[in-house]
């Protein structure tokens, strides 16, 4: 039987203050068509459905439309929360949604929820493991207090009944050690958040979310990647979805490409060279190399490239990059990343895993009190 693995939709995201909603609307329509054409049984969404815990109304409406179209085509949806999502909000009305074959795992509370599929004598169990924080799992792990994601994952996977089906797929939002990251993701600090690929070896396929660059880790573990570029560090990455075929004989995957409404591109050259190009509505990062750059150079470039997102000057006297949008405010930075930077500045070395665990507990306590 066939599944479509996607991840990191980040609905409602803005890149350099540009709304991505139109791009996301178009790519979700392409994903529905892809699922229908390939006759998939279910779409697997591996977390970070939204870009923030309280998404804008337009983003929730977009997800609703996406689910409705898949339901009308008779395609089930399995969806888990990522670190950008509020698990509680994502799982709203999840009991009712199950009757429409939309299965949502919002918060990790011990054993992963399992959805069973059967076809032509082959049974496939998809185990749904949303993003989790090890320090919050103790009540669901018989009082055991895991010190790392690897330890927590091991305890959670022990709760799975591997005799319940012929094939087993894990749908998870994890950072696997050794994976390639990019600028649009929240940073991973130390090794406390990482898990080894060996910890996932019992599954026939692991459908991962969290990292935006599509990549495979061995034969049975893959990040679908985000369906769109959300930073210029992703330029050139082959965005798409993973088509998963599961039979009694084994598993095979095929990466299917997605074409955005507008490409994200980097350009470099003198003003004369850049202005000699053709009009384009692509998302552009332009680097000007003239020694003397006119004060209105950015405005001039926008006459040809209206979606100029970033503007930089590089010459003998400056390598200063000037953002079109204001620099990201400290209030939008990941608190753990800020802690890590401050700790290293004060102590001359990055924080240990124990320091990170302690700070995460403090931050979580503050969230609960709010």
């Amino acid at each position: 039987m066939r599944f479509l693995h996607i991840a990191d939709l980040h609905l409602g995201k803005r890149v350099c203050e540009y709304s991505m909603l139109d791009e996301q609307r178009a790519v979700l329509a392409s994903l529905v068509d892809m699922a229908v054409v390939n006759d998939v049984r279910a779409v697997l969404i591996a977390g970070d459905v939204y870009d923030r815990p309280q998404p804008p109304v337009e983003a929730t409406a977009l997800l609703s439309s996406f689910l409705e179209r898949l339901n009308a085509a008779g395609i089930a949806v399995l969806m888990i929360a990522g670190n950008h999502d509020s698990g509680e909000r994502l799982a709203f009305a999840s009991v009712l949604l199950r009757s429409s074959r939309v299965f949502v795992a919002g918060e990790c509370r011990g054993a992963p929820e399992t959805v069973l599929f059967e076809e032509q004598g082959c049974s496939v169990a998809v185990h749904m493991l949303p993003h989790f924080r090890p320090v919050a799992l103790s009540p669901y792990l018989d009082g055991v207090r895991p010190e790392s994601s690897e330890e927590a994952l091991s305890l959670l996977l022990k709760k799975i009944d591997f005799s319940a089906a012929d094939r087993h797929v894990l749908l998870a939002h994890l950072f696997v050690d050794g994976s390639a990251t990019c600028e649009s993701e929240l940073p991973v600090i130390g090794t406390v958040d990482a898990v080894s690929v060996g910890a996932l070896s019992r599954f026939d396929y692991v459908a991962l979310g969290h990292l935006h660059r599509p990549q495979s880790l061995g034969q049975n573990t893959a990040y679908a990647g985000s369906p769109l570029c959300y930073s210029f560090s992703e330029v050139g990455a082959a965005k798409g979805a993973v088509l998963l075929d599961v039979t009694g004989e084994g598993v095979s995957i095929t990466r299917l490409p997605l074409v955005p409404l507008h490409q994200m591109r980097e350009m470099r050259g003198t003003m004369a060279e850049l202005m000699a190009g053709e009009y384009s509505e692509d998302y552009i990062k332009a680097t000007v190399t003239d020694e003397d750059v006119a004060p209105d150079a950015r405005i001039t470039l926008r006459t040809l490239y209206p979606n100029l997102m970033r503007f930089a000057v590089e010459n003998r006297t400056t390598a200063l990059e000037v953002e079109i949008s204001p620099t990201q405010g400290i209030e939008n930075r990941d608190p753990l990343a800020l802690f890590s930077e401050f700790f290293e500045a004060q102590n001359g070395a990055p924080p240990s895993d124990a320091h990170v665990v302690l700070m995460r507990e403090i931050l979580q306590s503050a969230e609960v009190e709010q």
Side-chain angles (χ1 to χ4, degrees), residues 132 141 144-156 194-195:
F132 61 82
L141 297 175
V144 177
R145 183 185 176 89
E147 297 296 330
S148 67
S149 291
E150 177 96 1
E151 182 183 355
L153 179 65
S154 176
L155 293 169
L156 291 168
V195 302

Side-chain angles (χ1 to χ4, degrees), residues 23-82:
E23 299 287 336
Q24 292 169 338
R25 186 174 294 106
V27 82
L28 290 185
S30 296
L31 286 168
V32 171
D33 293 341
M34 187 182 289
V36 171
V37 167
N38 288 283
D39 192 26
V40 304
R41 286 288 299 276
V43 173
L44 313 179
I45 308 177
D48 282 354
V49 179
Y50 294 118
D51 190 54
R52 56 182 187 265
Q54 298 185 45
V57 172
E58 296 84 356
T60 59
L62 187 54
L63 177 64
S64 178
S65 174
F66 180 55
L67 297 178
E68 288 169 7
R69 293 186 63 187
L70 290 171
N71 180 259
I75 298 170
V77 176
L78 281 68
M79 179 167 61
I80 62 173

Side-chain angles (χ1 to χ4, degrees), residues 277-349:
E278 296 182 359
Y279 176 86
S280 173
E281 294 185 1
D282 287 349
Y283 298 116
I284 301 293
K285 174 184 176 181
T287 302
V288 177
T289 59
D290 295 275
E291 290 302 319
D292 295 311
V293 180
D296 63 348
R298 184 172 61 192
I299 297 173
T300 301
L301 285 172
R302 272 187 162 170
T303 63
L304 195 60
Y305 311 109
N307 289 329
L308 178 65
M309 280 186 167
R310 300 179 71 177
F311 174 79
V313 175
E314 289 186 11
N315 52 33
R316 287 180 298 180
T317 58
T318 180
L320 176 65
E321 181 169 314
V322 181
E323 299 285 347
I324 287 180
S325 60
T327 302
Q328 185 183 28
I330 192 170
E331 68 276 4
N332 294 321
R333 294 285 306 281
D334 175 44
L336 280 177
L338 291 171
F339 164 71
S340 181
E341 292 173 6
F342 177 77
F343 187 99
E344 186 166 0
Q346 294 295 313
N347 298 281

Side-chain angles (χ1 to χ4, degrees), residues 1-3 44 78 113-128 160-171 200-206 219-220 244-252:
M1 65 194 77
R2 212 166 240 187
F3 302 91
L44 313 179
L78 281 68
E113 181 180 350
T114 299
V115 181
L116 190 65
F117 295 88
E118 293 185 278
E119 184 177 290
Q120 297 178 349
C122 178
S123 58
V124 178
V126 181
H127 309 284
M128 304 167 67
I160 292 177
D161 180 6
F162 282 92
S163 67
D166 301 316
R167 297 290 174 188
H168 294 268
V169 173
L170 179 66
L171 178 63
L200 306 168
S201 60
R202 291 199 66 181
F203 297 94
D204 296 284
Y205 180 73
V206 182
Q219 294 183 339
N220 73 327
L244 172 65
D245 282 292
V246 185
T247 67
E249 287 70 42
V251 171
S252 64

